Amino acid sequence: MRTHGTPARWSACLVTALLVTGCGGPSDEEEPKTPVVCASENDPFADKVVSFSPGPFAGFGQDGYPDIVLGPPHGGGSGMGSLDVLSLGERGEIVLELTDIGVVDGPGVDLLVFENPFGNFAETGFVSVSEDGQTWHDFPCAPTDRANGSPGCAGVKHVFSSPDNGISPTDPSVAGGDGFDLATLGVARARFVRIKDSGENAYGSTSGGFDLDAIVVVNGSPVCEWR
């Protein structure tokens, strides 16, 4: 189920939450549980910053923190990097939480991470996901393999979606950004996303390292509390 579906599709997911694992319910092997409450918002963006540990040369964007990383991406295309970003600094790390729509393993890309690369200049980062914020699963990333586009890393592809241009941020075919598929990790769903600067970028001034613009859920379902 893609987040750019109609609200009715989300309502259907809520109705079937007892049966569908993707709605944040129990797996087939677990005893069925009853949802206490399921999120009603249809927001595919990060909702909360759990933690931020800036590294050396961070600072840019902190005047707008935390909201600067919680909304939609503000892409500038291939010729202009977004200034609506938070610089993590050298090996800096940020953990984001999805409180209304979690990521689920669906067809193709499940999660998009947006940085602000432009031209041939990219600053890479490692991406990890977790369902409970404790047990993490790391996507493989090769930041030093720049000749092949640093496969598996965030911060490589240009960002085209912006609130001003009408390009859907949840459509990987047009939004830009770097896509991540939970199937790569054998993970069914996740509510937390961790991004860490790779340590292989340019550092200086207060805008060093990975510059986070936004994260967006492509395949997702409402987050439910269970008893």
Side-chain angles (χ1 to χ4, degrees), residues 117-194:
F118 60 95
N120 295 319
F121 185 75
E123 293 175 307
T124 53
F126 300 104
V127 176
S128 308
V129 294
S130 172
E131 173 62 12
D132 59 8
Q134 301 296 321
T135 301
W136 291 93
H137 306 273
D138 305 326
F139 285 97
C141 161
T144 59
D145 189 6
R146 294 187 179 274
N148 292 304
S150 300
C153 301
V156 177
K157 297 181 180 177
H158 302 138
V159 179
F160 298 98
S161 177
S162 173
D164 301 326
N165 61 23
I167 297 176
S168 171
T170 62
D171 185 347
S173 68
V174 296
D178 301 287
F180 295 87
D181 185 351
L182 294 188
T184 303
L185 306 175
V187 173
R189 57 183 182 260
R191 294 188 299 113
F192 298 86
V193 179
R194 182 175 66 195

Side-chain angles (χ1 to χ4, degrees), residues 27-166:
S27 66
D28 294 338
E29 291 77 17
E30 297 174 347
E31 181 181 350
K33 299 179 181 179
T34 302
V36 176
V37 61
C38 294
S40 60
E41 297 295 324
N42 189 14
D43 179 358
F45 313 116
D47 301 293
K48 177 182 178 182
V49 176
V50 177
S51 64
F52 174 42
S53 302
F57 308 109
F60 189 88
Q62 290 189 21
D63 55 341
Y65 172 84
D67 293 344
I68 198 167
V69 295
L70 299 183
H74 292 72
S78 59
M80 175 69 74
S82 172
L83 297 179
D84 188 70
V85 295
L86 178 69
S87 296
L88 302 189
E90 186 174 5
R91 301 192 183 279
E93 177 182 293
I94 191 168
V95 176
L96 305 170
E97 182 178 1
L98 300 159
T99 62
D100 45 17
I101 296 176
V103 188
V104 298
D105 183 21
V109 170
D110 302 313
L111 173 72
L112 286 169
V113 177
F114 300 92
E115 208 248 4
N116 69 339
F118 60 95
N120 295 319
F121 185 75
E123 293 175 307
T124 53
F126 300 104
V127 176
S128 308
V129 294
S130 172
E131 173 62 12
D132 59 8
Q134 301 296 321
T135 301
W136 291 93
H137 306 273
D138 305 326
F139 285 97
C141 161
T144 59
D145 189 6
R146 294 187 179 274
N148 292 304
S150 300
C153 301
V156 177
K157 297 181 180 177
H158 302 138
V159 179
F160 298 98
S161 177
S162 173
D164 301 326
N165 61 23

